[in-house]
C-alpha cells in the first residue's frame, strides 16, 4: 500500500477529510520551500502537492503562473525540485508528496530517469496536467513500478469513458477540477460539485479530491461535506505572495490551520 493510500485509509477510518495544499517549489525562494512544506504539515496538511515550475503552465491561472515565473527566475529545475523533496524527507518520512506539473520537464529528463530519481527522492505520486490517461499508460505503469501513484484530473465535462480510463490506470486519488477554466478562476458551484461526486466516486473507485476555486475555510468545509479531500493552491500562493518573506512560513501555517479546523467540523462520510 502506498503512502497516499495509507493516509486515505487512516482518514476514512476516522471520518476525516484529507487536506491537500499546493505550493510551487522555489517560490518565493528555494531556501523557503522545505520550511513551507513543514509549515503545511504543522498546519494540518495530509498530503502536499508540490508544483514543478514550468514556463507555459496552461492550466494555471495568473497567481500560479506568477509563482512559476518567480521560481524559474530563482533557477528552479526538475532536478532541484527533487532535491528539495529529498531535503524534506530528511525530517519527514510520513507525509506524501505529489509532484504536479507538465510533461516537458519530465520528457527532457527522460521518463525512466525521472521515475528513478523521484522514487529515490521520496516522491509519492505525480500529476502531469498534459498527460491524458489514454496517452500515458506506459508512464503510469512506470510510476507504479517505482512505488508511486499516477494521479489524474477529472472535470465537470469529463465523459463516462474518460472516467473509466482514469479508473483503469490512475491510483492514489483523483483530482476533480470543480470549475471550467484555470486555477483560481470563477466562483464555486457547490451544488454542481455535490451532484457530480457520487458519479465520480462510483466510477473511479478511489478517493476524490476537489480543487480549483476553494478560497477559505468555509468553502473548504462545504466541499469537504461531499469530497474525500480538499485541494487548495492559488489562495496559499497569494498568502506567500502578499507576505514579507520572513513572515511567509508563519502566515501559510496560520491559514492552513484555519482550513484544517473547518474540515474537522465535518462528521461522517462524504454525502
Amino acid at each position: 500500500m502506498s503512502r497516499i493510500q495509507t493516509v486515505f485509509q487512516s482518514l476514512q477510518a476516522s471520518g476525516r477529510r484529507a487536506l491537500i495544499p499546493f505550493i510551487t517549489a522555489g517560490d518565493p525562494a528555494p531556501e523557503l520551500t522545505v520550511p513551507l512544506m513543514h509549515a503545511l504539515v504543522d498546519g494540518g496538511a495530509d498530503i502536499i502537492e508540490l508544483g514543478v515550475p514550468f514556463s507555459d503552465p496552461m492550466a494555471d491561472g495568473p497567481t500560479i503562473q506568477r509563482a512559476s515565473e518567480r521560481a524559474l527566475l530563482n533557477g528552479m529545475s526538475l532536478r532541484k525540485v527533487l532535491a528539495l523533496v529529498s531535503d524534506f524527507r530528511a525530517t519527514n518520512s510520513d507525509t506524501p508528496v505529489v509532484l504536479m506539473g507538465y510533461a516537458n520537464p519530465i520528457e527532457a529528463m527522460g521518463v525512466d530517469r525521472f521515475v528513478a530519481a523521484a522514487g529515490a527522492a521520496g516522491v509519492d505520486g505525480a500529476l502531469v496536467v498534459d498527460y491524458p490517461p489514454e496517452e500515458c499508460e506506459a508512464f503510469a505503469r512506470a510510476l507504479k513500478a517505482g512505488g508511486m501513484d499516477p494521479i489524474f484530473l477529472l472535470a465537470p465535462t469529463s465523459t463516462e469513458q474518460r472516467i473509466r480510463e482514469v479508473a483503469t490506470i490512475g491510483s492514489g486519488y483523483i483530482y476533480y477540477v470543480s470549475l471550467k477554466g484555470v486555477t483560481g478562476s470563477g466562483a464555486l458551484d457547490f451544488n454542481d460539485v455535490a451532484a457530480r461526486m457520487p458519479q465520480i466516486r462510483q466510477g473511479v473507485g478511489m478517493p476524490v479530491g476537489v480543487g480549483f476555486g476553494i478560497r477559505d475555510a468555509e468553502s473548504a468545509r462545504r466541499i469537504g461535506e461531499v469530497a474525500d479531500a480538499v485541494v487548495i493552491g492559488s489562495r496559499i500562493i497569494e498568502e506567500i505572495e502578499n507576505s514579507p518573506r520572513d513572515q511567509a512560513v508563519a502566515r501559510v501555517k496560520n491559514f492552513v490551520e484555519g482550513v484544517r479546523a473547518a474540515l474537522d467540523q465535518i462528521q461522517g462520510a462524504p454525502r
Side-chain angles (χ1 to χ4, degrees), residues 190-199:
F190 295 100
N191 293 331
D192 182 68
V193 174
R196 285 285 276 164
M197 278 301 98
Q199 176 197 17

Side-chain angles (χ1 to χ4, degrees), residues 49-130:
E49 286 187 354
L50 186 63
V52 178
F54 183 54
S55 57
D56 186 23
M58 61 186 179
D60 295 313
T63 299
I64 295 179
Q65 286 182 14
R66 290 194 300 270
S68 275
E69 290 169 2
R70 289 190 295 268
L72 291 171
L73 287 172
N74 288 331
M76 288 306 297
S77 64
L78 178 53
R79 291 187 185 279
K80 290 181 179 179
V81 173
L82 294 176
L84 290 172
V85 176
S86 183
D87 289 347
F88 174 73
R89 283 280 170 250
T91 49
N92 183 314
S93 60
D94 299 321
T95 305
V97 176
V98 174
L99 297 187
M100 187 169 182
Y102 295 83
N104 184 273
I106 292 172
E107 294 179 354
M109 178 183 285
V111 168
D112 291 341
R113 285 192 292 274
F114 166 74
V115 170
V123 170
D124 296 279
L127 195 169
V128 184
V129 175
D130 47 349

Side-chain angles (χ1 to χ4, degrees), residues 63 214-216 232-240 255:
T63 299
I214 299 170
R215 303 287 303 167
D216 51 28
I232 304 182
S234 295
R235 179 62 183 82
I236 293 174
I237 299 297
E238 288 174 4
E239 198 70 31
I240 294 169
F255 175 78

